[in-house]
Amino acid sequence: MLEEVERWLARRSWSAADRPLDQLLAAKRGSGTTVSVVLPALDEEATVGAIVATIRRELMSDAVPLVDELVVVDSGSTDRTAEVAAAAGARVVHRDEILPRLPALPGKGEVLWRSLLATTGDVVCFVDADLKDFSADFVSGIVGPLLTDPDVHFVKAMYDRPLGEAPGQGGRVTELVARPLLNLHWPRLAGFVQPLGGEYAARRELLERLPFPVGYGVELGLLVDALHTVGLDALAQVDVGVRRHRHQDGRALGRMAAAIYRTAQLRLARGHLVRPVLTQFERTAEGFVPRTYAVDTEERPPMAEIPEYAQRHAA
């Protein structure tokens, strides 16, 4: 590991317990910083309600007004995600209602990008909607450094990721794809424990300057681009405990890995893939059948370049 990264780990890695809520509230009052929490959601009726209810109860009360805005962006759920989220106290916005002049592309990154137009906070905190046993530390922990340290601009959560009952076996795409890519090509980011984690917070003024890969590559893309935009010392991570969520099957992970590799490739060469598809194999009664999927090849430009966004901030 680079000496620079070792120093960064000592200076920019914390625990959620390092910043008690009263300290965060005092810093928030002193700075006037507003905080938006965004949950991108697709068919998450089983978990989104509990996450929203916890944030409302523990971080949006009169006693603890840490979060100013809680928005669930529904990207086309066919279940009761929107209804459950609204009943729990979130403002629910459908992806297609945001920036309707641009037809929406499928993918998580598309939802996160559009959420910048649907929120107003100075700090934007993203939280996946499939988390189980959710703790408010996932929000307060990663928002904390942004409220207390003006030199910090981007904060990732770090945590243990069990796979079922097996500790430390989650995050398979991280270990097999993302971590090798970062260590080999962006070694200054080698200190991030969970580079692909869906829980992170950043200053709006940074997010609006970054392009957003529309699919699974969004976390890697934002992390790499944030490094080049504000430098390593402006990035940080906070330990928030244990993350439990719905795991995907091996083929889905393969598609995720291909999108992440493609995101890295574009940042290494800023070129174009010759053949942006991935073929996988599924055993059927007739033998192995090839299934070919498109790999995400789209990125949205920095939100600061979108006229509707510029007009809103000029108003």
Side-chain angles (χ1 to χ4, degrees), residues 106-189:
K108 177 184 178 183
E110 176 82 354
V111 175
L112 300 184
W113 181 73
R114 288 176 184 257
S115 77
L116 296 181
L117 257 172
T119 56
T120 60
D122 303 312
V123 167
V124 183
C125 174
F126 299 121
V127 176
D128 281 350
D130 66 342
L131 302 188
K132 304 172 183 177
D133 304 324
F134 177 76
S135 165
D137 286 349
F138 275 73
V139 173
S140 59
I142 57 177
V143 165
L146 296 164
L147 294 175
T148 59
D149 189 335
D151 294 328
V152 174
H153 291 259
F154 187 98
V155 183
K156 296 280 291 189
M158 57 177 168
Y159 31 66
D160 296 323
R161 294 187 68 179
L163 181 60
E165 297 303 316
Q169 296 303 305
R172 291 162 287 174
V173 176
T174 293
E175 299 304 330
L176 296 175
V177 181
R179 201 176 307 285
L181 282 172
L182 292 176
N183 275 264
L184 291 171
H185 299 296
W186 296 281
R188 297 171 70 203
L189 296 174

Side-chain angles (χ1 to χ4, degrees), residues 175-240:
E175 299 304 330
L176 296 175
V177 181
R179 201 176 307 285
L181 282 172
L182 292 176
N183 275 264
L184 291 171
H185 299 296
W186 296 281
R188 297 171 70 203
L189 296 174
F192 277 94
V193 176
Q194 298 292 351
L196 297 186
E199 290 69 49
Y200 47 102
R203 300 191 190 279
R204 176 178 294 273
E205 61 186 12
L206 171 61
L207 291 173
E208 67 186 12
R209 297 161 59 195
L210 302 180
F212 276 60
V214 301
Y216 286 127
V218 63
E219 273 81 30
L220 183 95
L222 290 178
L223 186 60
V224 169
D225 291 343
L227 172 68
H228 290 305
T229 303
V230 293
L232 181 60
D233 200 52
L235 314 182
Q237 60 185 349
V238 175
D239 188 346
V240 296

Side-chain angles (χ1 to χ4, degrees), residues 91-109:
R91 176 163 65 91
V92 179
V93 183
H94 194 281
R95 173 200 62 195
D96 297 347
E97 297 172 357
I98 308 169
L99 203 60
R101 72 172 175 85
L102 289 181
L105 297 169
K108 177 184 178 183

Side-chain angles (χ1 to χ4, degrees), residues 277-297:
V277 296
L278 172 72
T279 299
Q280 298 176 314
F281 292 88
E282 180 179 346
R283 182 186 282 281
T284 68
E286 290 75 34
F288 286 102
V289 177
R291 310 285 190 198
T292 299
Y293 302 87
V295 174
D296 295 322
T297 58

